[in-house]
Amino acid sequence: MIRTRSRAASFAVAAGLGRAVYEGLRRCRGADPRWERTNHAGRPVHLYAGPAAAVGAAVGAGSGAGALAVLAAGVCGAYDDVRGDGRRGFRAHLTALREGEVTSGAVKLFGIGAAGLVAGALLKERPVDKLLAGVVIAGTAHLVNLVDVRPGRAGLVVLGLAAPGLLRGPQAAAPMGAAAALLADDLAERTMLGDTGAHALGAAVGTAIAAGNGRLGLAAHAAGLVTAAVYAETSANARGLTHVGEPGR
């Protein structure tokens, strides 16, 4: 019963706080051009679901490691939402970095990666497990951002990835609550998660996966995430895309 209440409380806190922050931003910020986008259908939408999801998932996480990973991923994503120039893919950002330019994508790559490693170190005891946990956290944040290409898709992926984790512990309930609270508005094309929300929710799911798995499970998840990232990068380069992760979004 204690575990059930813990899961329910985590879900409720994340959902309630995420919704409250979302409504507060809509009323207080209004039509802020820095947080507005045109979606795939040509409709104007705002990005307030992103910060709301990040705050809800971070507070609902109930652990220092989870809150750290979520907030760091959300902040890095917010920087890209506001300062991003449309370049996507590891190759583009690393090439720019070699030329002395620190892009918003590079900030995300190294910022979320570092936060994932720190969170992994807090979650696990052995060095190999710490490293694998960090890869899982950062890799899941990247994966959720990659699938955020149509209304509601990232939220639905978060719900699908996190649901099995409820069997292992309460950590998975926080990203589910935050995603569920904002899903209807995302599907209705009133808002979108943007990099802020997609990375934050992905980091929250990754933290739950890392916390609930031993070395074998961590290694399997890490291998799958790295494979997905490499495939997405290779596919985008083959098609000559410069914007990977949110085409048409």
Side-chain angles (χ1 to χ4, degrees), residues 5 21 23 26 29 47 49 89 91-92 115 117 131 145 152 156 161 169 172 185 198 201 205 215 227 232 234 247:
R5 287 199 298 270
V21 171
E23 295 295 344
R26 283 203 309 130
R29 301 296 297 177
L47 298 174
R91 179 181 297 181
L117 289 173
L131 176 61
N145 188 54
L156 292 171
L161 289 175
D185 286 77
L201 289 175
V205 175
R215 183 171 300 174
T227 300
T234 303

Side-chain angles (χ1 to χ4, degrees), residues 109-133:
L109 176 62
F110 293 105
I112 297 174
L117 289 173
V118 172
L122 293 173
L123 288 171
K124 301 298 181 181
E125 296 182 358
R126 298 182 181 277
V128 173
D129 297 337
K130 293 176 187 287
L131 176 61
L132 289 172

Side-chain angles (χ1 to χ4, degrees), residues 42-160:
R43 298 189 182 94
V45 298
H46 55 70
L47 298 174
Y48 296 143
V55 172
V59 176
S63 71
L68 168 67
V70 172
L71 290 177
V75 168
C76 291
Y79 182 77
D80 194 39
D81 279 334
V82 175
R83 299 287 187 180
D85 58 9
R87 281 178 289 186
R88 291 294 185 272
F90 297 138
R91 179 181 297 181
H93 296 299
L94 292 176
T95 298
L97 192 61
R98 285 197 298 269
E99 297 173 352
E101 180 186 2
V102 180
T103 64
S104 59
V107 171
K108 287 196 309 179
L109 176 62
F110 293 105
I112 297 174
L117 289 173
V118 172
L122 293 173
L123 288 171
K124 301 298 181 181
E125 296 182 358
R126 298 182 181 277
V128 173
D129 297 337
K130 293 176 187 287
L131 176 61
L132 289 172
V135 172
V136 167
I137 294 169
T140 309
H142 179 62
L143 175 65
V144 173
N145 188 54
L146 282 178
V147 302
D148 187 26
V149 294
R150 287 292 185 273
R153 186 171 297 181
L156 292 171
V157 167
V158 166
L159 293 174

